[in-house]
Amino acid sequence: MNDTASPAGYPHRHLLGIEGLHPPEIAYLLDLADAYVEQNRQIDKKRAVLRGRTQVNLFFEASTRTSTSFELAGKRLGADVINMAVARSSVQKGETLLDTAMTLNAMHPDVLVVRHGDSGAVQLLSQKVGCAVINAGDGAHEHPTQALLDALTIRRRRGHLDGQVVAICGDILHSRVARSNIILLNTMGAEVRVIGPPTLVPAAVEALGVTVHHDMRKGLNGVDIVMMLRLQIERMQGSYVPSLREYFQLYGLDQSKLELAKPDALIMHPGPMNRGVEIDSLVADDINRSVIREQVEMGVAVRMACLDALGRHLPNLNGAAS
Ligand code: ASP
């Protein structure tokens, strides 16, 4: 079942990205998350591993799945969870990211979960605060918990990640989901193809160990997994595609393009979906092939696993180092 034995645990204080993580560390988080999937399907979903701890969720960018699942994850582990509504906070009054972080830090949280529009902002913040920090998405850079939940979804369906052929399709250029997934899947021995128009595939992406396709029909040929991405309009200045209609024709996943993948290929999407732009409703809702809802379920378990793993490095509640 596991790609690699995971005796080492998760030795880091923060989770800032997938880059730099070793296969046993990734496998350890996935194993831990697997156990939380089962727990979340029980009537009693509560554990006390973070009892007495304070988790602050600080989201400078919009979020539905990630923020709710981090909130749920913290509460299921017994933490006191606070959601900072940035729109109503002093950030709107001109306070900088670091001043906000220092203010929160003075309240002695144990874990900060941060999403920010600038690549690298979460790492910068982690250097200034005294608590554990989880990156919930920084600009077009990394979204580590998304890649972990995608990996868990694939591993539970297929039993392993190594050897799986995964096509990541669409706006690769602006996607932190693509970047974290490429790194994780390569680290765990999967084969990654990226598919998108030349304007939306970064020039140096091959250096990350992927093959590039601009023709979706060729790129999808024989793949095990089709991962669709949303056009990140909010990160674009100007237009990268001639029209949404043409984009759908060339790069939208519909039944006819899907037929080129393996007959049992799984369809994934991190959400939010733009139906009729990158994906057709018929394939998004195909109960035999689409695992999009499953990804959401895995998201809660993965976030519990990450909080649990980081919680193990926090000082003991009675004052002694753990
Ligand atoms: N929810 C994912 C993210 O935050 C994907 C997306 O927004 O398209 O990156």
Side-chain angles (χ1 to χ4, degrees), residues 75-261:
K75 285 180 172 163
R76 285 192 181 161
L77 295 177
D80 297 317
V81 184
I82 287 146
N83 295 307
M84 274 276 298
V86 175
R88 279 184 275 124
S89 75
S90 298
V91 173
Q92 292 304 310
K93 299 181 188 169
E95 191 172 73
T96 66
L97 166 68
L98 290 183
D99 284 335
T100 306
M102 295 319 288
T103 303
L104 289 175
N105 198 42
M107 297 177 196
H108 302 293
D110 297 291
V111 186
L112 264 182
V113 178
V114 187
R115 169 169 288 190
H116 196 278
D118 295 339
S119 302
V122 182
Q123 185 181 7
L124 179 68
L125 190 142
S126 73
Q127 292 160 0
K128 308 284 175 190
V129 295
C131 60
V133 175
I134 300 182
N135 181 1
D138 64 323
H141 179 227
E142 280 239 35
H143 193 351
T145 56
Q146 178 71 46
L148 287 163
L149 77 88
D150 291 338
L152 184 64
T153 308
I154 299 170
R155 199 179 79 164
R156 285 176 67 92
R157 282 284 183 144
R158 293 285 149 86
H160 56 93
L161 293 167
D162 54 292
Q164 292 291 306
V165 184
V166 183
I168 306 180
C169 316
D171 182 359
I172 312 293
L173 180 66
H174 301 102
S175 174
R176 53 196 176 203
V177 174
R179 204 165 172 283
S180 291
N181 261 302
I182 289 169
I183 299 169
L184 188 152
L185 290 165
N186 268 332
T187 305
M188 301 309 274
E191 182 189 322
V192 183
R193 298 181 194 169
V194 299
I195 307 176
T199 48
L200 290 175
V201 176
V205 73
E206 271 144 337
L208 293 176
V210 302
T211 51
V212 175
H213 293 266
H214 299 304
D215 178 339
M216 192 160 178
R217 290 177 186 276
K218 284 195 186 134
L220 286 182
N221 196 14
V223 302
D224 298 289
I225 311 285
V226 186
M227 191 181 285
M228 299 308 300
L229 300 173
R230 181 178 67 88
L231 288 174
Q232 308 277 296
I233 305 286
E234 71 275 28
R235 295 187 214 293
M236 295 180 190
Q237 272 157 0
S239 180
Y240 284 71
V241 294
S243 75
L244 294 183
R245 202 160 152 256
E246 189 180 341
Y247 182 79
F248 179 72
Q249 258 171 23
L250 293 174
Y251 295 102
L253 186 68
D254 58 11
Q255 201 56 49
S256 80
K257 294 193 196 84
L258 184 61
E259 270 162 24
L260 296 156

Side-chain angles (χ1 to χ4, degrees), residues 13-27:
R13 187 166 160 231
H14 307 298
L15 174 60
L16 300 174
I18 298 295
E19 196 169 7
L21 297 187
H22 298 296
E25 295 163 8
I26 293 171

Side-chain angles (χ1 to χ4, degrees), residues 283-302:
V283 293
D285 301 332
D286 179 342
I287 50 166
N288 297 313
R289 315 279 296 272
S290 168
V291 291
I292 296 169
R293 301 277 169 271
E294 220 165 288
Q295 287 173 266
V296 179
E297 182 188 4
M298 296 307 124
V300 180
V302 154

